[in-house]
Amino acid sequence: MRHFIISMAVALMCAAAYAQSPEIPGDGHAMLRVDVKDNYLLLPVQEDVDNANVTVIASGDSRFAFNIRLAKEKVDYFVPLDLRHFGEEKLLLDITFHGKDLARETVGKYVCWWGIRQDDEFDTTNRERFRPAYHHTPIYGWMNDPNGMFFKDGLYHLCYQWNPYGSQWENMTWGHSVSRDLIHWESMPAVIEPDALGAVFSGSAVVDHRNTAGYGAGSVVAVYTSAGRNQTQSMAYSQDGGKTFTKFPGNPVITGEVVDFRDPKVFWNPDIERWNLILAAGQEMLIYSSADLKEWKFESSFGEGHGAHTSVWECPDLMKLNVRGTDRQKWLLICNCGGGPAGGSATQYFIGDFDGHKFTTDQKEALWMDYGKDHYATVTFDNCPEGRKIAIAWMSNWNYAGAVPTKQFRSADSLPRDLDIFEYDGKYYCGVTPSKELIALRGQRTRQPSETCEIVVDLKGNSQMELSNPKGEKVVMEYDSKAGTFSMDRTMSGDTSFSNDFPTKTVAPVHGQLKQLRIFIDRCSIEVFDSEGRMAMTNLLFPSEPYETLRSKGCKATIYQIQI
Ligand code: FRU
Protein backbone atom coordinates (compact mmCIF):
# COMPACT_ATOMS: atom_id res chain seq x y z
CA MET A 1 0.00 0.00 0.00
CA ARG A 2 2.81 2.35 0.99
CA HIS A 3 4.51 1.59 -2.28
CA PHE A 4 1.28 2.35 -4.15
CA ILE A 5 0.88 5.73 -2.41
CA ILE A 6 4.47 6.69 -3.19
CA SER A 7 4.14 5.75 -6.85
CA MET A 8 0.86 7.67 -7.11
CA ALA A 9 2.53 10.73 -5.60
CA VAL A 10 5.46 10.46 -8.02
CA ALA A 11 3.09 10.03 -10.94
CA LEU A 12 1.11 13.11 -9.92
CA MET A 13 4.27 15.17 -9.46
CA CYS A 14 5.50 14.17 -12.89
CA ALA A 15 2.13 14.85 -14.42
CA ALA A 16 2.04 18.24 -12.75
CA ALA A 17 5.52 19.01 -14.03
CA TYR A 18 4.44 18.13 -17.53
CA ALA A 19 0.98 19.70 -17.48
CA GLN A 20 0.43 22.44 -20.03
CA SER A 21 -2.33 24.91 -19.36
CA PRO A 22 -3.96 26.14 -22.50
CA GLU A 23 -6.08 29.24 -22.72
CA ILE A 24 -9.53 28.42 -24.02
CA PRO A 25 -11.07 31.52 -25.52
CA GLY A 26 -14.17 29.78 -26.91
CA ASP A 27 -15.85 26.43 -27.50
CA GLY A 28 -13.57 24.05 -29.39
CA HIS A 29 -10.71 26.58 -29.48
CA ALA A 30 -7.52 26.43 -27.43
CA MET A 31 -4.27 28.40 -27.45
CA LEU A 32 -1.12 26.88 -26.05
CA ARG A 33 1.96 29.02 -25.39
CA VAL A 34 5.29 27.25 -25.84
CA ASP A 35 8.55 28.60 -24.41
CA VAL A 36 10.98 26.65 -26.52
CA LYS A 37 13.51 24.79 -24.35
CA ASP A 38 14.01 21.40 -25.96
CA ASN A 39 14.08 19.99 -29.49
CA TYR A 40 10.61 18.52 -29.59
CA LEU A 41 7.11 19.17 -28.37
CA LEU A 42 5.65 15.71 -27.82
CA LEU A 43 1.97 15.59 -28.68
CA PRO A 44 -0.41 12.86 -27.43
CA VAL A 45 -2.63 11.23 -30.05
CA GLN A 46 -5.90 9.34 -29.66
CA GLU A 47 -6.64 7.60 -32.95
CA ASP A 48 -10.43 7.46 -32.70
CA VAL A 49 -11.13 11.17 -32.19
CA ASP A 50 -11.57 13.83 -34.86
CA ASN A 51 -8.58 15.75 -36.13
CA ALA A 52 -7.81 19.10 -34.54
CA ASN A 53 -6.31 21.82 -36.77
CA VAL A 54 -3.14 23.29 -35.33
CA THR A 55 -1.49 26.49 -36.55
CA VAL A 56 1.99 27.27 -35.24
CA ILE A 57 2.24 31.04 -34.78
CA ALA A 58 5.39 33.09 -34.12
CA SER A 59 5.06 36.83 -33.38
CA GLY A 60 1.63 36.83 -34.94
CA ASP A 61 2.74 35.11 -38.16
CA SER A 62 1.38 31.73 -39.11
CA ARG A 63 4.42 29.51 -39.69
CA PHE A 64 3.02 26.01 -40.18
CA ALA A 65 -0.30 24.21 -40.01
CA PHE A 66 -1.11 20.55 -39.52
CA ASN A 67 -3.92 18.28 -38.39
CA ILE A 68 -3.60 15.94 -35.45
CA ARG A 69 -5.98 13.72 -33.44
CA LEU A 70 -5.04 15.33 -30.12
CA ALA A 71 -6.03 13.02 -27.26
CA LYS A 72 -9.32 13.76 -25.54
CA GLU A 73 -9.86 10.72 -23.25
CA LYS A 74 -6.84 8.43 -23.65
CA VAL A 75 -3.38 8.50 -25.17
CA ASP A 76 -2.51 5.93 -27.85
CA TYR A 77 0.96 7.28 -28.64
CA PHE A 78 2.99 10.48 -28.96
CA VAL A 79 4.29 12.25 -32.05
CA PRO A 80 6.97 14.97 -32.11
CA LEU A 81 6.69 18.54 -33.39
CA ASP A 82 10.25 19.58 -34.19
CA LEU A 83 10.61 22.96 -32.49
CA ARG A 84 14.06 23.62 -33.99
CA HIS A 85 12.34 24.02 -37.32
CA PHE A 86 10.98 27.45 -36.38
CA GLY A 87 14.11 29.02 -34.90
CA GLU A 88 12.02 30.92 -32.33
CA GLU A 89 11.98 31.14 -28.53
CA LYS A 90 8.27 31.61 -28.18
CA LEU A 91 5.53 29.93 -30.17
CA LEU A 92 1.78 29.84 -29.91
CA LEU A 93 -0.21 26.80 -30.98
CA ASP A 94 -3.67 27.87 -32.10
CA ILE A 95 -5.86 24.76 -31.95
CA THR A 96 -9.35 24.15 -33.32
CA PHE A 97 -11.00 20.95 -32.13
CA HIS A 98 -13.78 19.12 -33.97
CA GLY A 99 -16.27 16.41 -33.03
CA LYS A 100 -18.51 16.20 -30.03
CA ASP A 101 -18.09 17.73 -26.53
CA LEU A 102 -16.49 20.99 -27.59
CA ALA A 103 -17.74 23.11 -24.67
CA ARG A 104 -14.98 25.27 -23.10
CA GLU A 105 -15.04 23.34 -19.80
CA THR A 106 -14.76 20.00 -21.61
CA VAL A 107 -11.90 21.17 -23.81
CA GLY A 108 -10.02 22.18 -20.64
CA LYS A 109 -10.31 18.59 -19.40
CA TYR A 110 -8.93 16.84 -22.50
CA VAL A 111 -6.10 14.51 -21.49
CA CYS A 112 -3.74 16.00 -24.07
CA TRP A 113 -2.99 18.92 -21.73
CA TRP A 114 -1.50 16.46 -19.21
CA GLY A 115 0.58 14.71 -21.79
CA ILE A 116 2.06 17.48 -23.94
CA ARG A 117 5.69 18.02 -22.98
CA GLN A 118 9.05 19.08 -24.35
CA ASP A 119 11.99 16.76 -24.69
CA ASP A 120 15.30 16.66 -26.49
CA GLU A 121 14.61 13.09 -27.61
CA PHE A 122 11.77 11.31 -29.34
CA ASP A 123 11.88 7.60 -28.66
CA THR A 124 11.57 5.69 -31.93
CA THR A 125 12.48 2.28 -30.49
CA ASN A 126 10.24 -0.27 -32.16
CA ARG A 127 7.19 -1.21 -30.09
CA GLU A 128 5.37 -3.25 -32.74
CA ARG A 129 5.57 -7.01 -33.06
CA PHE A 130 4.18 -6.81 -36.59
CA ARG A 131 6.89 -4.44 -37.79
CA PRO A 132 8.65 -6.23 -40.66
CA ALA A 133 12.35 -6.96 -40.19
CA TYR A 134 13.54 -6.67 -43.81
CA HIS A 135 10.94 -4.44 -45.45
CA HIS A 136 10.96 -0.66 -45.43
CA THR A 137 8.70 0.95 -42.82
CA PRO A 138 8.50 4.50 -41.47
CA ILE A 139 9.98 4.71 -37.95
CA TYR A 140 6.65 6.14 -36.83
CA GLY A 141 3.47 7.49 -38.41
CA TRP A 142 1.36 6.60 -41.39
CA MET A 143 2.87 5.72 -44.78
CA ASN A 144 1.32 5.07 -48.18
CA ASP A 145 2.79 5.33 -51.71
CA PRO A 146 6.51 5.15 -52.45
CA ASN A 147 7.54 8.47 -54.06
CA GLY A 148 10.53 10.11 -55.71
CA MET A 149 12.68 6.97 -55.88
CA PHE A 150 16.13 7.33 -57.44
CA PHE A 151 19.65 5.91 -57.27
CA LYS A 152 22.67 8.19 -56.93
CA ASP A 153 26.23 7.85 -55.64
CA GLY A 154 25.70 4.31 -54.36
CA LEU A 155 22.48 5.09 -52.51
CA TYR A 156 18.89 4.20 -53.26
CA HIS A 157 16.56 6.98 -52.14
CA LEU A 158 13.00 6.15 -51.24
CA CYS A 159 10.60 8.96 -50.39
CA TYR A 160 7.09 8.14 -49.29
CA GLN A 161 3.65 9.55 -48.52
CA TRP A 162 3.99 10.19 -44.80
CA ASN A 163 2.00 11.63 -41.92
CA PRO A 164 4.53 12.87 -39.34
CA TYR A 165 1.70 13.60 -36.85
CA GLY A 166 -0.12 10.28 -36.55
CA SER A 167 -0.63 6.78 -37.88
CA GLN A 168 -3.68 7.60 -40.00
CA TRP A 169 -3.60 9.26 -43.46
CA GLU A 170 -3.19 13.05 -43.08
CA ASN A 171 -0.69 15.94 -43.60
CA MET A 172 0.88 14.36 -46.67
CA THR A 173 4.62 15.01 -46.59
CA TRP A 174 7.50 13.29 -48.38
CA GLY A 175 9.28 11.15 -45.79
CA HIS A 176 12.73 9.94 -46.85
CA SER A 177 14.87 6.83 -46.37
CA VAL A 178 18.11 5.68 -47.97
CA SER A 179 19.68 2.29 -48.55
CA ARG A 180 22.77 0.79 -50.17
CA ASP A 181 21.16 -2.58 -50.86
CA LEU A 182 17.38 -1.97 -51.13
CA ILE A 183 16.89 -3.96 -47.91
CA HIS A 184 18.46 -2.06 -45.00
CA TRP A 185 16.90 1.39 -44.88
CA GLU A 186 17.99 4.39 -42.85
CA SER A 187 15.39 6.98 -41.96
CA MET A 188 16.26 10.56 -42.94
CA PRO A 189 14.51 13.88 -42.23
CA ALA A 190 11.43 14.59 -44.38
CA VAL A 191 12.28 16.28 -47.67
CA ILE A 192 9.12 18.03 -48.95
CA GLU A 193 6.50 19.50 -46.62
CA PRO A 194 3.04 20.93 -47.26
CA ASP A 195 2.83 24.62 -48.15
CA ALA A 196 0.24 27.17 -49.29
CA LEU A 197 -0.22 25.21 -52.55
CA GLY A 198 -1.38 22.16 -50.58
CA ALA A 199 -0.36 18.83 -49.15
CA VAL A 200 2.46 17.00 -50.93
CA PHE A 201 0.96 14.05 -52.79
CA SER A 202 2.75 11.42 -54.84
CA GLY A 203 5.34 12.09 -57.50
CA SER A 204 8.78 11.12 -58.71
CA ALA A 205 12.39 12.29 -58.82
CA VAL A 206 15.07 12.14 -61.50
CA VAL A 207 18.82 12.69 -61.64
CA ASP A 208 19.45 15.53 -64.10
CA HIS A 209 22.77 14.35 -65.58
CA ARG A 210 22.63 16.88 -68.43
CA ASN A 211 21.82 19.91 -66.24
CA THR A 212 18.69 20.54 -68.27
CA ALA A 213 17.00 22.37 -65.39
CA GLY A 214 20.02 24.54 -64.57
CA TYR A 215 20.64 23.31 -61.02
CA GLY A 216 23.87 21.56 -61.95
CA ALA A 217 24.72 18.24 -63.62
CA GLY A 218 23.69 15.46 -61.27
CA SER A 219 21.19 17.56 -59.34
CA VAL A 220 17.99 15.78 -58.36
CA VAL A 221 14.64 17.14 -59.50
CA ALA A 222 11.38 16.05 -57.90
CA VAL A 223 7.94 16.60 -59.42
CA TYR A 224 4.96 16.05 -57.12
CA THR A 225 1.30 16.90 -56.76
CA SER A 226 0.36 19.91 -54.67
CA ALA A 227 -3.03 18.90 -53.31
CA GLY A 228 -4.60 22.25 -52.51
CA ARG A 229 -7.85 23.75 -53.66
CA ASN A 230 -7.20 21.86 -56.88
CA GLN A 231 -4.50 19.34 -57.65
CA THR A 232 -1.54 20.85 -59.53
CA GLN A 233 2.00 19.67 -60.18
CA SER A 234 4.97 21.29 -58.45
CA MET A 235 8.73 20.91 -58.69
CA ALA A 236 11.60 20.95 -56.21
CA TYR A 237 15.32 20.43 -56.69
CA SER A 238 18.20 19.12 -54.63
CA GLN A 239 21.84 20.09 -54.97
CA ASP A 240 23.05 17.91 -52.11
CA GLY A 241 22.30 14.50 -53.56
CA GLY A 242 18.70 14.35 -52.37
CA LYS A 243 19.18 15.22 -48.68
CA THR A 244 17.27 18.50 -48.91
CA PHE A 245 15.03 19.99 -51.59
CA THR A 246 14.23 23.59 -52.50
CA LYS A 247 10.84 24.31 -54.00
CA PHE A 248 10.84 25.93 -57.44
CA PRO A 249 9.60 29.55 -57.09
CA GLY A 250 7.49 29.22 -60.25
CA ASN A 251 5.26 26.45 -58.87
CA PRO A 252 2.94 24.98 -59.95
CA VAL A 253 4.52 23.79 -63.20
CA ILE A 254 1.40 22.01 -64.53
CA THR A 255 -2.24 22.86 -63.87
CA GLY A 256 -5.24 21.00 -65.30
CA GLU A 257 -8.99 20.93 -65.48
CA VAL A 258 -9.68 17.59 -63.84
CA VAL A 259 -10.41 17.07 -60.13
CA ASP A 260 -8.20 13.97 -59.76
CA PHE A 261 -5.04 15.18 -61.44
CA ARG A 262 -1.94 13.78 -59.84
CA ASP A 263 1.10 11.55 -59.29
CA PRO A 264 3.53 12.78 -62.00
CA LYS A 265 6.23 10.29 -63.00
CA VAL A 266 9.13 11.77 -64.96
CA PHE A 267 11.82 10.01 -67.01
CA TRP A 268 14.46 10.95 -69.56
CA ASN A 269 13.54 9.60 -72.98
CA PRO A 270 16.68 9.22 -75.13
CA ASP A 271 14.51 8.55 -78.21
CA ILE A 272 13.34 12.18 -78.25
CA GLU A 273 16.18 13.67 -76.16
CA ARG A 274 13.63 15.15 -73.78
CA TRP A 275 11.90 14.44 -70.54
CA ASN A 276 8.54 12.73 -70.54
CA LEU A 277 6.01 12.98 -67.71
CA ILE A 278 2.96 10.82 -67.21
CA LEU A 279 0.24 11.65 -64.67
CA ALA A 280 -3.17 10.31 -63.72
CA ALA A 281 -6.24 12.39 -64.56
CA GLY A 282 -9.59 10.85 -63.64
CA GLN A 283 -9.54 7.49 -65.41
CA GLU A 284 -6.91 8.42 -67.95
CA MET A 285 -3.18 8.94 -68.12
CA LEU A 286 -1.85 12.19 -69.59
CA ILE A 287 1.58 12.39 -71.18
CA TYR A 288 3.74 15.53 -71.40
CA SER A 289 7.25 16.41 -72.60
CA SER A 290 9.80 19.00 -71.55
CA ALA A 291 13.35 20.13 -72.28
CA ASP A 292 14.01 21.65 -68.83
CA LEU A 293 11.64 19.99 -66.29
CA LYS A 294 9.87 23.35 -65.85
CA GLU A 295 7.89 23.98 -69.02
CA TRP A 296 5.73 21.05 -69.94
CA LYS A 297 3.95 20.42 -73.23
CA PHE A 298 0.85 18.22 -73.26
CA GLU A 299 1.30 15.40 -75.77
CA SER A 300 -1.56 12.88 -75.51
CA SER A 301 -3.87 10.89 -73.28
CA PHE A 302 -4.34 7.15 -72.83
CA GLY A 303 -7.00 5.03 -71.23
CA GLU A 304 -10.42 5.12 -72.79
CA GLY A 305 -11.51 1.63 -73.86
CA HIS A 306 -8.49 -0.02 -72.21
CA GLY A 307 -8.36 -2.06 -69.00
CA ALA A 308 -10.23 -1.73 -65.72
CA HIS A 309 -12.20 1.45 -65.10
CA THR A 310 -13.74 0.75 -61.72
CA SER A 311 -12.13 3.72 -59.93
CA VAL A 312 -9.81 6.66 -60.53
CA TRP A 313 -6.42 5.83 -61.99
CA GLU A 314 -3.41 6.73 -59.86
CA CYS A 315 0.38 6.52 -59.68
CA PRO A 316 1.45 5.81 -63.27
CA ASP A 317 4.84 4.78 -64.57
CA LEU A 318 6.08 4.29 -68.13
CA MET A 319 9.28 2.55 -69.23
CA LYS A 320 10.95 0.65 -72.04
CA LEU A 321 11.77 -2.97 -71.16
CA ASN A 322 13.48 -5.91 -72.82
CA VAL A 323 11.35 -8.79 -73.95
CA ARG A 324 12.93 -11.83 -72.33
CA GLY A 325 14.99 -14.03 -74.66
CA THR A 326 14.67 -11.64 -77.64
CA ASP A 327 16.31 -8.45 -78.84
CA ARG A 328 12.92 -6.73 -78.89
CA GLN A 329 11.76 -4.02 -76.53
CA LYS A 330 8.25 -2.97 -75.52
CA TRP A 331 6.89 -0.20 -73.32
CA LEU A 332 5.19 -0.93 -70.03
CA LEU A 333 2.60 1.53 -68.71
CA ILE A 334 1.78 1.04 -65.02
CA CYS A 335 -1.61 2.18 -63.78
CA ASN A 336 -2.50 1.71 -60.12
CA CYS A 337 -6.23 1.70 -59.43
CA GLY A 338 -9.07 0.17 -57.42
CA GLY A 339 -11.07 -2.80 -58.68
CA GLY A 340 -8.13 -5.22 -58.51
CA PRO A 341 -8.45 -9.00 -58.93
CA ALA A 342 -8.68 -9.54 -55.15
CA GLY A 343 -10.84 -6.46 -54.53
CA GLY A 344 -9.66 -2.92 -53.87
CA SER A 345 -6.24 -1.50 -54.67
CA ALA A 346 -3.98 -3.20 -57.24
CA THR A 347 -1.45 -2.55 -59.99
CA GLN A 348 -2.78 -2.79 -63.53
CA TYR A 349 -0.49 -2.56 -66.54
CA PHE A 350 -0.49 -2.19 -70.30
CA ILE A 351 2.16 -3.31 -72.77
CA GLY A 352 2.54 -1.39 -76.01
CA ASP A 353 4.63 1.16 -77.85
CA PHE A 354 5.59 4.74 -77.12
CA ASP A 355 7.28 7.26 -79.42
CA GLY A 356 7.77 10.02 -76.85
CA HIS A 357 4.40 11.47 -77.75
CA LYS A 358 1.75 8.77 -77.67
CA PHE A 359 1.34 5.37 -75.99
CA THR A 360 -0.45 2.79 -78.15
CA THR A 361 -1.53 -0.77 -77.44
CA ASP A 362 -3.92 -3.42 -78.73
CA GLN A 363 -4.41 -4.65 -75.17
CA LYS A 364 -8.01 -4.13 -74.14
CA GLU A 365 -8.26 -6.36 -71.07
CA ALA A 366 -6.88 -5.63 -67.60
CA LEU A 367 -3.61 -7.34 -66.64
CA TRP A 368 -2.27 -7.20 -63.07
CA MET A 369 1.31 -7.13 -61.85
CA ASP A 370 0.66 -8.90 -58.55
CA TYR A 371 -2.40 -10.96 -57.68
CA GLY A 372 -2.28 -10.47 -53.91
CA LYS A 373 -4.41 -7.96 -52.09
CA ASP A 374 -1.60 -5.82 -50.70
CA HIS A 375 0.35 -4.43 -53.60
CA TYR A 376 -0.40 -0.86 -54.62
CA ALA A 377 1.08 2.41 -55.90
CA THR A 378 3.92 0.49 -57.58
CA VAL A 379 6.53 2.67 -59.25
CA THR A 380 10.20 2.29 -60.26
CA PHE A 381 13.48 3.95 -59.26
CA ASP A 382 15.14 6.42 -61.62
CA ASN A 383 18.75 6.00 -62.71
CA CYS A 384 19.32 2.41 -61.51
CA PRO A 385 22.64 0.73 -62.26
CA GLU A 386 22.80 -1.78 -65.17
CA GLY A 387 19.64 -0.34 -66.70
CA ARG A 388 17.56 -2.19 -64.11
CA LYS A 389 13.93 -1.27 -63.56
CA ILE A 390 13.39 -1.89 -59.87
CA ALA A 391 9.87 -1.46 -58.53
CA ILE A 392 8.54 -1.10 -55.00
CA ALA A 393 4.87 -1.17 -54.00
CA TRP A 394 2.99 0.02 -50.94
CA MET A 395 2.11 -3.24 -49.16
CA SER A 396 -1.49 -2.45 -48.26
CA ASN A 397 -4.95 -1.80 -49.65
CA TRP A 398 -7.07 1.34 -49.27
CA ASN A 399 -9.99 -0.89 -48.21
CA TYR A 400 -8.43 -1.46 -44.76
CA ALA A 401 -5.02 0.26 -44.62
CA GLY A 402 -6.07 2.50 -41.71
CA ALA A 403 -7.44 -0.41 -39.65
CA VAL A 404 -4.53 -2.88 -39.62
CA PRO A 405 -3.41 -3.82 -36.09
CA THR A 406 -0.34 -1.59 -35.64
CA LYS A 407 -0.18 1.84 -33.98
CA GLN A 408 3.36 3.22 -33.80
CA PHE A 409 3.53 3.04 -37.60
CA ARG A 410 1.14 1.95 -40.34
CA SER A 411 2.20 0.14 -43.51
CA ALA A 412 5.33 -1.27 -45.04
CA ASP A 413 6.65 -1.34 -48.59
CA SER A 414 6.94 -4.49 -50.65
CA LEU A 415 10.27 -6.15 -51.30
CA PRO A 416 12.06 -4.71 -54.34
CA ARG A 417 11.31 -6.47 -57.62
CA ASP A 418 12.97 -6.24 -61.04
CA LEU A 419 10.62 -5.82 -63.98
CA ASP A 420 10.87 -7.13 -67.54
CA ILE A 421 8.53 -8.49 -70.21
CA PHE A 422 7.88 -12.09 -71.18
CA GLU A 423 5.77 -13.71 -73.87
CA TYR A 424 3.32 -16.51 -73.19
CA ASP A 425 0.84 -17.98 -75.63
CA GLY A 426 1.40 -15.17 -78.12
CA LYS A 427 0.84 -12.40 -75.59
CA TYR A 428 3.07 -10.05 -73.61
CA TYR A 429 3.10 -9.96 -69.79
CA CYS A 430 5.06 -8.05 -67.18
CA GLY A 431 7.72 -10.19 -65.50
CA VAL A 432 8.28 -9.65 -61.77
CA THR A 433 11.41 -11.12 -60.15
CA PRO A 434 12.55 -10.57 -56.56
CA SER A 435 15.58 -8.26 -56.81
CA LYS A 436 18.95 -10.04 -56.67
CA GLU A 437 19.85 -8.17 -53.44
CA LEU A 438 17.49 -10.59 -51.64
CA ILE A 439 19.82 -13.53 -52.24
CA ALA A 440 22.28 -12.00 -49.76
CA LEU A 441 19.67 -12.45 -47.03
CA ARG A 442 19.60 -16.24 -47.39
CA GLY A 443 20.99 -17.74 -44.21
CA GLN A 444 21.22 -21.30 -42.93
CA ARG A 445 18.77 -23.97 -43.97
CA THR A 446 16.36 -24.74 -41.18
CA ARG A 447 13.66 -27.34 -40.49
CA GLN A 448 10.91 -25.00 -39.39
CA PRO A 449 9.56 -21.78 -40.76
CA SER A 450 9.79 -18.70 -38.55
CA GLU A 451 8.48 -15.16 -38.63
CA THR A 452 11.31 -14.13 -40.97
CA CYS A 453 12.33 -16.75 -43.52
CA GLU A 454 12.48 -17.63 -47.20
CA ILE A 455 10.96 -20.87 -48.43
CA VAL A 456 12.04 -22.25 -51.80
CA VAL A 457 9.52 -24.72 -53.16
CA ASP A 458 10.19 -27.10 -56.05
CA LEU A 459 7.02 -28.32 -57.73
CA LYS A 460 6.18 -30.89 -60.38
CA GLY A 461 2.39 -30.54 -60.50
CA ASN A 462 -0.56 -29.98 -58.16
CA SER A 463 0.77 -28.97 -54.75
CA GLN A 464 -0.36 -27.67 -51.42
CA MET A 465 1.49 -25.84 -48.68
CA GLU A 466 0.04 -25.02 -45.31
CA LEU A 467 1.74 -22.72 -42.81
CA SER A 468 0.29 -22.89 -39.31
CA ASN A 469 0.96 -21.93 -35.70
CA PRO A 470 0.05 -23.63 -32.39
CA LYS A 471 -3.08 -21.45 -32.16
CA GLY A 472 -4.52 -23.23 -35.22
CA GLU A 473 -4.10 -20.16 -37.41
CA LYS A 474 -3.03 -21.04 -40.93
CA VAL A 475 -2.36 -19.90 -44.45
CA VAL A 476 -3.07 -22.36 -47.25
CA MET A 477 -1.35 -22.05 -50.62
CA GLU A 478 -2.27 -24.23 -53.59
CA TYR A 479 -0.99 -24.77 -57.09
CA ASP A 480 -3.52 -26.20 -59.51
CA SER A 481 -1.49 -27.16 -62.57
CA LYS A 482 -4.52 -28.02 -64.68
CA ALA A 483 -6.34 -24.76 -64.02
CA GLY A 484 -2.99 -22.94 -64.21
CA THR A 485 -3.57 -21.07 -60.96
CA PHE A 486 -1.83 -20.41 -57.67
CA SER A 487 -3.86 -19.34 -54.63
CA MET A 488 -3.36 -18.17 -51.06
CA ASP A 489 -6.12 -18.41 -48.46
CA ARG A 490 -5.72 -16.10 -45.47
CA THR A 491 -9.24 -16.42 -44.08
CA MET A 492 -7.87 -18.33 -41.02
CA SER A 493 -4.48 -16.58 -40.91
CA GLY A 494 -4.85 -14.82 -37.54
CA ASP A 495 -6.43 -11.47 -36.71
CA THR A 496 -8.77 -10.67 -39.59
CA SER A 497 -11.35 -8.93 -37.43
CA PHE A 498 -10.39 -5.34 -38.21
CA SER A 499 -12.07 -5.35 -41.65
CA ASN A 500 -14.66 -7.55 -43.37
CA ASP A 501 -12.68 -7.03 -46.49
CA PHE A 502 -9.49 -8.61 -45.11
CA PRO A 503 -10.22 -12.38 -44.93
CA THR A 504 -9.85 -13.59 -48.48
CA LYS A 505 -8.41 -16.14 -50.88
CA THR A 506 -6.33 -14.58 -53.64
CA VAL A 507 -5.86 -16.40 -56.96
CA ALA A 508 -3.29 -15.80 -59.72
CA PRO A 509 -2.89 -17.15 -63.25
CA VAL A 510 0.59 -18.70 -63.58
CA HIS A 511 1.25 -18.48 -67.35
CA GLY A 512 2.85 -21.91 -67.91
CA GLN A 513 3.95 -24.64 -65.53
CA LEU A 514 5.22 -23.52 -62.12
CA LYS A 515 8.57 -25.13 -61.37
CA GLN A 516 9.83 -23.21 -58.39
CA LEU A 517 8.41 -20.70 -55.94
CA ARG A 518 10.21 -18.29 -53.63
CA ILE A 519 8.15 -17.39 -50.59
CA PHE A 520 9.25 -14.54 -48.32
CA ILE A 521 7.74 -14.31 -44.83
CA ASP A 522 8.31 -11.21 -42.72
CA ARG A 523 6.16 -11.02 -39.56
CA CYS A 524 3.01 -9.62 -41.19
CA SER A 525 3.49 -10.42 -44.85
CA ILE A 526 3.92 -13.26 -47.33
CA GLU A 527 5.22 -12.53 -50.82
CA VAL A 528 5.20 -15.43 -53.27
CA PHE A 529 7.11 -15.30 -56.54
CA ASP A 530 7.46 -17.73 -59.39
CA SER A 531 11.29 -18.00 -59.51
CA GLU A 532 11.01 -17.41 -63.27
CA GLY A 533 9.19 -14.14 -62.61
CA ARG A 534 5.82 -14.97 -64.18
CA MET A 535 3.63 -14.66 -61.11
CA ALA A 536 3.69 -12.59 -57.93
CA MET A 537 1.34 -12.51 -54.96
CA THR A 538 1.70 -10.17 -51.97
CA ASN A 539 -0.52 -10.50 -48.91
CA LEU A 540 -0.56 -9.21 -45.35
CA LEU A 541 -1.41 -11.45 -42.38
CA PHE A 542 -1.50 -10.85 -38.64
CA PRO A 543 -1.00 -14.20 -36.84
CA SER A 544 -1.12 -14.14 -33.04
CA GLU A 545 2.06 -16.27 -33.06
CA PRO A 546 4.54 -16.92 -35.88
CA TYR A 547 3.73 -19.81 -38.23
CA GLU A 548 6.19 -22.51 -37.23
CA THR A 549 4.84 -25.54 -39.04
CA LEU A 550 4.93 -26.15 -42.78
CA ARG A 551 3.00 -29.06 -44.26
CA SER A 552 3.52 -29.61 -47.94
CA LYS A 553 2.02 -32.04 -50.43
CA GLY A 554 3.25 -32.68 -53.97
CA CYS A 555 6.30 -30.43 -53.64
CA LYS A 556 9.65 -30.11 -51.90
CA ALA A 557 10.16 -27.14 -49.62
CA THR A 558 13.55 -25.85 -48.43
CA ILE A 559 13.45 -23.29 -45.66
CA TYR A 560 16.18 -20.68 -45.18
CA GLN A 561 16.65 -18.36 -42.26
CA ILE A 562 16.75 -14.70 -43.18
CA GLN A 563 20.04 -13.12 -42.22
CA ILE A 564 19.45 -9.44 -41.68
C1 FRU B 1 -2.52 6.56 -54.11
C2 FRU B 1 -2.84 8.00 -53.75
C3 FRU B 1 -2.27 8.94 -54.80
C4 FRU B 1 -2.10 10.23 -54.05
C5 FRU B 1 -1.69 9.72 -52.69
C6 FRU B 1 -2.16 10.59 -51.56
O1 FRU B 1 -2.47 5.70 -53.03
O2 FRU B 1 -4.22 8.16 -53.62
O3 FRU B 1 -3.06 9.05 -55.95
O4 FRU B 1 -1.15 11.07 -54.63
O5 FRU B 1 -2.22 8.43 -52.54
O6 FRU B 1 -1.59 10.20 -50.36
Side-chain angles (χ1 to χ4, degrees), residues 306-318:
H306 297 273
H309 282 271
T310 30
S311 73
V312 288
W313 285 12
E314 299 183 315
C315 303
D317 203 343
L318 183 58

Side-chain angles (χ1 to χ4, degrees), residues 144-145 161 169 172 201-202 262-263 314-315 376-377 394 398:
N144 55 294
D145 316 356
Q161 289 286 280
W169 186 90
M172 282 299 113
F201 275 18
S202 290
R262 56 179 180 261
D263 309 342
E314 299 183 315
C315 303
Y376 195 59
W394 173 47
W398 279 115

Side-chain angles (χ1 to χ4, degrees), residues 4 59 70 83 133 173 184 225 280 299 303 310 386 422 429 494 560:
F4 175 74
S59 306
L70 275 178
L83 298 170
T173 300
H184 300 88
T225 300
E299 296 279 356
T310 30
E386 305 156 44
F422 68 92
Y429 296 92
Y560 297 93

